[in-house]
Amino acid sequence: MDHKHNLDSTSEHCWVDGADDITEEEMEAFRALPENPEHQNRVLGMHLHDERKALGLSQKYVSEKIGISVDTISRLEKGHTNFRKATLNKVKLFLGIEE
């Protein structure tokens, strides 16, 4: 299946292929993602990774600043989703994200 990105699109339908139409159920599930805690944790992990790399910081440095283990930083950045709320709050504080 050949997919291409429609750069002019501002909607959720930005990936186009001629053989696969998006159903209303799929669109509803897509729209609900931001409200899903697991999705939010994955996005937080990606944000942490991107910010850490942009600032040239090691996982060890960030873990010491935040007060959580390097393993936890690694798991969060890799998309794992099972973390305590206190851990997630420490990461949000480090990134300057308000709840």
Side-chain angles (χ1 to χ4, degrees):
M1 193 177 306
D2 185 28
H3 290 81
K4 63 183 183 239
H5 191 268
N6 179 355
L7 297 175
D8 298 325
S9 177
T10 57
S11 73
E12 295 95 348
H13 297 285
C14 60
W15 288 96
V16 180
D17 78 43
D20 191 22
D21 290 330
I22 298 172
T23 67
E24 191 56 41
E25 292 86 17
E26 290 170 329
M27 282 307 302
E28 191 172 311
F30 176 81
R31 288 185 193 110
L33 277 176
E35 298 171 11
N36 179 320
E38 288 183 0
H39 175 73
Q40 292 173 357
N41 291 351
R42 285 188 188 101
V43 170
L44 182 64
M46 289 187 300
H47 185 56
L48 175 61
H49 178 266
D50 292 346
E51 285 295 310
R52 183 179 63 76
K53 288 291 191 177
L55 295 171
L57 304 176
S58 68
Q59 288 182 341
K60 182 177 183 192
Y61 177 85
V62 172
S63 76
E64 290 170 356
K65 283 291 192 189
I66 295 177
I68 59 179
S69 73
V70 173
D71 182 57
T72 299
I73 298 283
S74 176
R75 287 181 27 250
L76 183 60
E77 289 184 354
K78 289 180 181 176
H80 293 254
T81 60
N82 190 16
F83 299 97
R84 285 184 235 136
K85 186 173 182 163
T87 299
L88 298 173
N89 287 340
K90 288 178 182 181
V91 172
K92 289 177 185 176
L93 181 64
F94 177 77
L95 293 171
I97 298 172
E98 297 181 21
E99 286 198 59

